[in-house]
Amino acid sequence: MPQTIQQFLQVARQQLQAHVEDPYTDSHVLMGHCLQKDRAWLLAHADDELQEHRAEEFVRLVEKRRQGVPVAHLTGSREFWSMEFKVTADTLIPRPETEHLIEQVLALPLPASGIRMLDFGTGSGVIAITVKKERPAWQVTAMDCSAAALQVARHNADRHNAAIDFIQACNLESFSEHRFDLIVSNPPYIEENDPHLAQGDVRFEPQMALVSGSDGLDCIRSLVVDAPACLNPSAYLVMEHGYDQGNAVRELLNQQGYEKVQTHKDLGGHERITSAQWAA
């Protein structure tokens, strides 16, 4: 029977080896969650004996992780842009690719104040909150179809002291009287029969935030068509999409009359973010 923190971590890595991509990181994150300590503390106290109630909690979490439950759901949070965000089964788990979306938004030639931005499909609120922290003088509105997701987003906004307007809505028709200088979105873009939906963390995430029709582009099509009614002249639309959807997204934007259509690659070299300007 393991006794020390290091011994429990070794056993956990062995149990997770065949079931997760990174058993070393997962086991340390779960142990850190149980003890409310960071990685450096765990390394410095590797030979400390793990208290019985902490050991029981750790073993329980490792077993759930072995069964496929995402680490973010087990700990209730995920780091994004060097901030901790609450995550539940009602929201997508923030991913590194979306940080690239933030980078592209911040790189737009927009002033530091006087900008009205809409986060379409905010989920846990990471996009809206991160942009608001980086551009505090912008007026940021975040919308989502899910009341449960908005509750999580409001919690995260309060946690990070980000003043954001949250609105429950499923499409842009609710904003027909509004005009924005920027609409940003990480919409659902996975094909409904994609085999990846039965693998990894996505098995535990809300399907409505992942799946968008037979080709994965239904939501993006609607967004591209409906956004101009809510955009000021020279406003921007910036979207995340699938690694193989860049060409299709560019075609949709060009057909609709957007200008300066550009696709940006993620760190893996995949086309991931497309931006365009509405110059009507």
Side-chain angles (χ1 to χ4, degrees):
M1 179 71 179
Q3 299 291 329
T4 67
I5 290 174
Q6 181 60 31
Q7 288 171 339
F8 273 100
L9 287 171
Q10 290 174 343
V11 172
R13 288 197 294 271
Q14 294 170 359
Q15 293 174 336
L16 295 175
Q17 188 71 46
H19 304 279
V20 303
E21 182 177 344
D22 190 351
Y24 181 88
T25 297
D26 287 1
S27 59
H28 276 77
V29 169
L30 294 177
M31 181 66 78
H33 172 69
C34 289
L35 299 176
Q36 293 298 295
K37 301 294 184 180
D38 60 21
R39 181 77 63 86
W41 189 95
L42 295 179
L43 293 174
H45 295 80
D47 294 327
D48 288 5
E49 186 172 330
L50 192 60
Q51 295 178 331
E52 183 176 355
H53 70 287
R54 298 298 187 192
E56 292 175 352
E57 180 185 5
F58 179 68
V59 170
R60 179 180 60 82
L61 292 177
V62 169
E63 175 57 23
K64 286 190 174 183
R65 181 57 183 144
R66 191 186 68 80
Q67 295 172 4
V69 179
V71 171
H73 288 176
L74 295 174
T75 63
S77 68
R78 173 60 66 89
E79 182 179 334
F80 183 88
W81 206 262
S82 299
M83 295 184 286
E84 285 292 327
F85 287 88
K86 178 180 179 179
V87 175
T88 73
D90 296 307
T91 66
L92 286 183
I93 299 169
R95 290 171 169 80
E97 292 85 354
T98 305
E99 292 195 350
H100 189 51
L101 174 67
I102 301 294
E103 293 171 353
Q104 296 306 320
V105 168
L106 298 178
L108 292 172
L110 292 170
S113 62
I115 295 298
R116 297 189 66 202
M117 179 191 120
L118 174 66
D119 177 14
F120 180 91
T122 193
S124 61
V126 295
I127 293 174
I129 294 167
T130 302
V131 172
K132 182 65 176 179
K133 298 299 287 186
E134 294 291 338
R135 298 289 186 269
W138 286 10
Q139 181 179 340
V140 178
T141 300
M143 60 158 282
D144 202 284
C145 192
S146 168
L150 285 174
Q151 185 176 1
V152 175
R154 288 189 179 98
H155 170 90
N156 284 325
D158 290 342
R159 178 179 184 176
H160 294 292
N161 195 28
I164 294 170
D165 295 322
F166 291 100
I167 297 176
Q168 185 176 2
C170 295
N171 52 57
L172 290 178
E173 292 180 1
S174 302
F175 299 90
S176 59
E177 302 301 320
H178 298 72
R179 290 295 181 273
F180 297 97
D181 303 294
L182 170 64
I183 295 179
V184 183
S185 183
N186 177 18
Y189 54 73
I190 299 179
E191 300 175 11
E192 57 190 11
N193 294 318
D194 192 313
H196 293 95
L197 293 170
Q199 304 171 11
D201 289 356
V202 295
R203 293 173 294 166
F204 299 86
E205 295 180 278
Q207 294 296 291
M208 66 179 296
L210 292 166
V211 180
S212 188
S214 60
D215 63 356
L217 292 170
D218 282 3
C219 186
I220 290 177
R221 283 193 193 90
S222 297
L223 186 55
V224 168
V225 171
D226 296 342
C230 305
L231 291 174
N232 286 319
S234 301
Y236 289 90
L237 175 62
V238 185
M239 300 175 292
E240 181 175 333
H241 51 73
Y243 74 95
D244 58 352
Q245 294 174 331
N247 186 59
V249 173
R250 288 191 296 273
E251 288 184 2
L252 289 170
L253 289 162
N254 286 321
Q255 290 169 4
Q256 195 63 26
Y258 290 82
E259 299 181 355
K260 298 182 180 179
V261 178
Q262 298 181 23
T263 300
H264 311 272
K265 295 182 179 181
D266 60 22
L267 294 178
H270 302 297
E271 294 188 329
R272 184 66 64 178
I273 311 296
T274 296
S275 61
Q277 190 172 26
W278 182 250

